[in-house]
Amino acid sequence: MKPKTKVILGFAIFFIAAASVIGYGYYAELREPHDFGEFTVEVPWGSEFEDISSI
């Protein structure tokens, strides 16, 4: 493999990895866990709902 090809491949892998980390960070920020004692669910940030498990 030529040195130029190795550099291009290295940059491509780096940018794909960086995009994955940034994308996951964005996704993690948009979700929040809600704990109901017996189980926990992750819902979109800012969702409004009421706990009907005690009814």
Side-chain angles (χ1 to χ4, degrees):
M1 194 181 291
K2 295 180 181 181
K4 186 176 181 180
T5 306
K6 287 182 182 180
V7 170
I8 292 171
L9 186 60
F11 274 117
I13 291 171
F14 172 77
F15 283 116
I16 290 171
S20 297
V21 169
I22 291 170
Y24 179 74
Y26 181 73
Y27 168 78
E29 287 292 322
L30 293 178
R31 307 198 59 80
E32 60 183 347
H34 284 274
D35 186 20
F36 294 107
E38 295 179 18
F39 61 93
T40 302
V41 295
E42 285 194 8
V43 298
W45 183 79
S47 295
E48 293 185 21
F49 58 94
E50 56 186 271
D51 181 11
I52 61 170
S53 61
S54 60
I55 295 176

